[in-house]
Amino acid sequence: AVHIGPFQCDADTIVQSLHRHVRHTVLPAAPQGREVEVEANHRGYLCDRENEPGIKRDIDVAAAIGAEMYVIDAGWYGREPNVWWHNVGDWQVGPWLPNGLEPIVGHVRTKGMRFGLWVEIEAAGANSALRERRADWLVRRHGEPVADGRALDLSQPEVAAWAEAEIERLIRRYQLDMFRLDHNHGMGLGGTCERDGFVENTLWRYYEAFYNMFDHLRARFPDVVFQNCAGGGGRLDLGILQRFHNTELSDWMRQPRAMAIFNGLTMALPPEIGLRTFGTEVGEHALDADVDAQLRYACLCRPIFRGIAPSLEELNPFLQERIAHHLDLYRRVIRPLMLADCLVFHHTPWLRLGTPMPWCVLEYAAPDHSRAMVALFRLVASGEATYRLHPRGLDRGRRYRVTFDNVGQTADVDGQSLANEGLTIRLDNSLTSEMVLFEAVAE
């Protein structure tokens, strides 16, 4: 497939056209009611320290904050604990989980959540029995393994059949609601093989096999959500997106860089397919921004909570209240907008990585102009402390109830005034934010 889109118009029109194309031509339809879920993921306090009691405590915390799905990420498989990178390829539960995953899955279900599982099916780690047993399955370039001998060669039919069968086995055994695929190595120029007297690059056949595998699996399991990670943002091409329901936008969660990444990617991709994380998985995350700014950022797409507290007893009441507040806004305002194919307006479109940019401002608006949400982030201390906001997704002929989330105050303003005069938003400190909600007032 080739996607060609010549434009000669303003950036907003281009963004809406790209989103419409991706939503209705590229993306597979998600299972009904599963389009944009709130996830919790075990890799926080338990990262490379997996044990059944700890995971069950984490599940209790996930349920308490209102997660709809719980995901076991890297670290549940293999022969040795705490080396998830080297264990990949052996998709059997590790001995540090002696009762298997079944008690964990059962605990998730009793808490009313769905269950998802992480797998890096294209890899064979240095510690894996698979690599010892089937060294001939590795991608090779002129006879030498690529990607530190970690990459499995899906261009070999036997390897592709094994990978598909392993995923099917895991989906069936654990009755997965979501399958999370990761991909953490680079194959560079790809492998080579001799075919019909010619040396052939294997990447084309590799991705034909990859596409076929996930086409088969989605057809076989229509109620499963397929999630793409790829080291965070490594596979955002339309060929991959055509086969997955949502995707990680970046593993790099440091602010203000992360906001620039999200801002830029949503100029091409609709926000509802993105995954963003809030929690303790990455060191010094508390330095990124205040709690409200971090939560607002995560709730602009599909939020994932990782490491909120080691147990219910240690769950900070303030943090729990702020999560509850932002998830309430997410469910009442942001998610309905995204599910309605919201218009996305980038008020600060060209944020450069590595260059201090004072503000990032994003607007989601209903196509019928009945409601909108604007998230404003002050990224650095330099520049003006105020931003003049002129909403773009409203009707000049209607009147709107405007809510300022930081103070919880409202005002009724006509659309003409909002478009022409705008609103002045003041944020005195860097890495802080405001969210402004607009809802049409019945005449």
Side-chain angles (χ1 to χ4, degrees), residues 154-155 160 202-216 243:
L154 297 186
S155 73
T202 60
L203 280 177
W204 192 317
R205 295 182 192 272
Y206 183 102
Y207 276 99
E208 281 184 334
F210 180 92
Y211 291 166
N212 287 335
M213 173 167 61
F214 281 97
D215 288 343
H216 298 160
R243 291 160 175 90

Side-chain angles (χ1 to χ4, degrees), residues 136-386:
D136 57 318
W137 281 12
L138 300 178
V139 175
R140 296 178 184 275
R141 184 168 182 83
H142 303 304
E144 296 298 321
V146 305
D148 298 322
R150 196 173 186 275
L152 291 174
D153 187 2
L154 297 186
S155 73
Q156 298 183 40
E158 184 182 10
V159 181
W162 169 86
E164 184 174 331
E166 281 292 274
I167 296 173
E168 178 170 355
R169 176 181 65 81
L170 293 170
I171 291 174
R172 292 192 186 280
R173 175 164 184 173
Y174 301 113
Q175 294 297 293
L176 298 185
D177 299 295
M178 189 272 278
F179 178 84
R180 178 173 168 87
L181 178 76
D182 208 345
H183 178 69
N184 291 302
H185 55 255
M187 288 186 285
L189 296 176
T192 58
C193 68
E194 186 171 324
R195 194 182 299 270
D196 300 326
F198 295 90
V199 175
E200 177 182 285
N201 186 293
T202 60
L203 280 177
W204 192 317
R205 295 182 192 272
Y206 183 102
Y207 276 99
E208 281 184 334
F210 180 92
Y211 291 166
N212 287 335
M213 173 167 61
F214 281 97
D215 288 343
H216 298 160
L217 290 165
R218 283 196 307 104
R220 213 168 293 147
F221 300 103
D223 295 328
V224 173
V225 168
F226 287 86
Q227 191 173 99
N228 167 49
C229 180
R235 281 174 163 172
L236 297 178
D237 57 279
L238 299 187
I240 296 293
L241 296 184
Q242 188 177 345
R243 291 160 175 90
F244 291 85
H245 299 105
N246 42 71
T247 189
E248 195 93 40
L249 297 179
S250 175
D251 271 355
W252 188 282
M253 294 182 285
R254 307 273 64 82
Q255 294 288 18
R257 187 178 187 266
M259 204 63 233
I261 291 172
F262 183 79
N263 184 78
L265 282 170
T266 53
M267 294 186 77
L269 302 177
E272 65 269 17
I273 70 169
L275 306 165
R276 293 307 306 141
T277 299
F278 174 87
T280 61
E281 182 191 14
V282 177
E284 299 185 344
H285 205 161
L287 303 180
D288 274 9
D290 67 17
V291 168
D292 287 314
Q294 290 190 48
L295 284 165
R296 283 188 179 120
Y297 170 44
C299 288
L300 288 178
C301 51
R302 183 185 178 108
I304 301 178
F305 292 89
R306 284 179 176 150
I308 303 306
S311 67
L312 278 175
E313 293 72 24
E314 297 166 275
L315 178 55
N316 183 300
F318 169 77
L319 179 59
Q320 186 174 13
E321 186 276 327
R322 296 321 295 162
I323 291 173
H325 172 80
H326 287 285
L327 285 184
D328 175 64
L329 283 177
Y330 179 75
R331 292 187 171 101
R332 288 191 299 107
V333 178
I334 302 172
R335 180 157 64 182
L337 282 169
M338 292 192 293
L339 292 177
D341 289 359
C342 64
L343 307 175
V344 179
F345 298 97
H346 295 75
H347 291 259
T348 51
W350 315 117
L351 300 183
R352 299 180 183 88
L353 293 179
T355 301
M357 306 293 283
W359 290 82
C360 178
V361 180
L362 284 165
E363 176 182 350
Y364 299 174
D368 65 359
H369 313 293
S370 61
R371 61 197 189 282
M373 175 282 301
V374 180
L376 303 97
F377 300 85
R378 189 173 180 200
L379 302 182
V380 296
S382 60
E384 293 291 329
T386 59

Side-chain angles (χ1 to χ4, degrees), residues 8-145:
Q8 188 174 4
C9 52
D10 62 275
D12 284 340
T13 303
I14 295 173
V15 168
Q16 312 316 331
S17 299
L18 284 169
H19 287 187
R20 203 160 44 242
H21 177 69
V22 171
R23 281 169 172 151
H24 300 293
T25 305
V26 176
L27 295 175
Q32 187 69 30
R34 306 282 312 284
E35 293 86 356
V36 193
E37 294 166 305
V38 177
E39 293 184 25
N41 184 299
H42 98 270
R43 285 182 66 82
Y45 292 102
L46 294 161
C47 179
D48 281 332
R49 294 181 293 279
E50 288 77 12
N51 63 85
E52 184 179 320
I55 292 175
K56 286 183 174 178
R57 288 193 295 270
D58 196 57
I59 291 166
D60 294 341
V61 173
I65 65 169
E68 296 158 348
M69 177 189 294
Y70 190 83
V71 179
I72 295 294
D73 209 287
W76 60 271
Y77 48 84
R79 297 190 285 192
E80 293 183 17
N82 307 328
V83 286
W84 73 267
W85 175 269
H86 296 303
N87 282 345
V88 293
D90 294 348
W91 303 113
Q92 303 293 337
V93 179
W96 52 95
L97 295 171
N99 300 314
L101 288 181
E102 283 82 359
I104 292 168
V105 178
H107 196 60
V108 171
R109 305 279 190 217
T110 64
K111 295 294 180 178
M113 294 183 290
R114 300 181 181 95
F115 180 71
L117 189 65
W118 178 103
V119 171
E120 190 181 358
I121 200 66
E122 300 159 84
N127 194 46
S128 67
L130 177 67
R131 185 156 155 180
E132 292 176 3
R133 188 173 68 250
R134 298 308 306 257
D136 57 318
W137 281 12
L138 300 178
V139 175
R140 296 178 184 275
R141 184 168 182 83
H142 303 304
E144 296 298 321

Side-chain angles (χ1 to χ4, degrees), residues 380-397:
V380 296
S382 60
E384 293 291 329
T386 59
Y387 184 89
R388 196 69 174 170
L389 171 64
H390 298 268
R392 301 178 190 171
L394 305 180
D395 186 333
R396 289 172 179 259

